[in-house]
Amino acid sequence: MRRTPATRVRVRLAELGRYPMGLMIGGALVFDHHTHLRHDMAPALGRPVPPTDADRMRAVLTWMIAVLSNQVAQAPVAGLDARVAPTLTGPGGGTWWIDEAGGLAPSSDAVAAHVTAPALTFPEWGTRRSSWRDSDVTVTGDTELAARFLDTVNVI
């Protein structure tokens, strides 16, 4: 699938928006299994959290950021009038740029707030299984803007 033109066909996924088929198959499935195994099933069964790696985390984060971008575009965050740059560190991490339109493209436009957190923790607080305020999240720049943005993050 990923090596054919069908990978770029955009398909609607319920209320989450439209995504390229290649991202849905790789990203959504990896995100779903990774998140449920690590944050729901293992703790409920009293089992150790399964290991992960950079490739798996990259797929999880790519999906989560794509969903977050669509969510912001569909329901703009009140008061998000400047760019926020989340940087997720560690395996699979990276930096993204989110604005009031949900835009992700890097640009020379100023970033009003930077949010830094370990990539491994984003699936937990980014899905509201825990609060970003209780996680290892660092905010610099416009802290009020960042807090308004982070308070709306709920990737499903």
Side-chain angles (χ1 to χ4, degrees):
M1 163 64 83
R2 291 188 60 125
R3 294 184 181 150
T4 71
T7 195
R8 292 184 300 278
V9 172
R10 296 184 71 78
V11 178
R12 176 166 278 304
L13 181 61
E15 73 279 359
L16 297 179
R18 299 176 67 81
Y19 300 91
M21 197 176 301
L23 177 59
M24 282 180 53
I25 291 173
L29 291 175
V30 173
F31 161 76
D32 196 50
H33 283 87
H34 178 271
T35 304
H36 287 301
L37 284 173
R38 291 179 62 86
H39 302 289
D40 300 328
M41 296 170 71
L45 297 172
R47 305 291 302 260
V49 174
T52 193
D53 57 40
D55 291 336
R56 187 174 298 123
M57 283 307 301
R58 192 170 301 108
V60 168
L61 298 176
T62 299
W63 177 254
M64 290 183 74
I65 295 296
V67 170
L68 180 59
S69 174
N70 270 351
Q71 288 174 325
V72 170
Q74 291 175 13
V77 176
L80 183 62
D81 55 2
R83 284 180 167 231
V84 175
T87 296
L88 302 173
T89 61
T95 299
W96 295 266
W97 298 262
I98 300 176
D99 60 21
E100 65 276 358
L104 294 173
S107 78
S108 59
D109 292 347
V111 173
H114 294 268
V115 175
T116 305
L120 293 172
T121 66
F122 185 52
E124 185 172 11
W125 62 263
T127 59
R128 292 202 178 166
R129 285 170 169 80
S130 68
S131 168
W132 68 269
R133 294 174 191 277
D134 298 328
S135 299
D136 187 13
V137 176
T138 303
V139 175
T140 58
D142 187 338
T143 57
E144 288 181 28
L145 176 73
R148 278 195 303 272
F149 168 72
L150 289 169
D151 285 341
T152 67
V153 172
N154 186 17
V155 178
I156 55 172

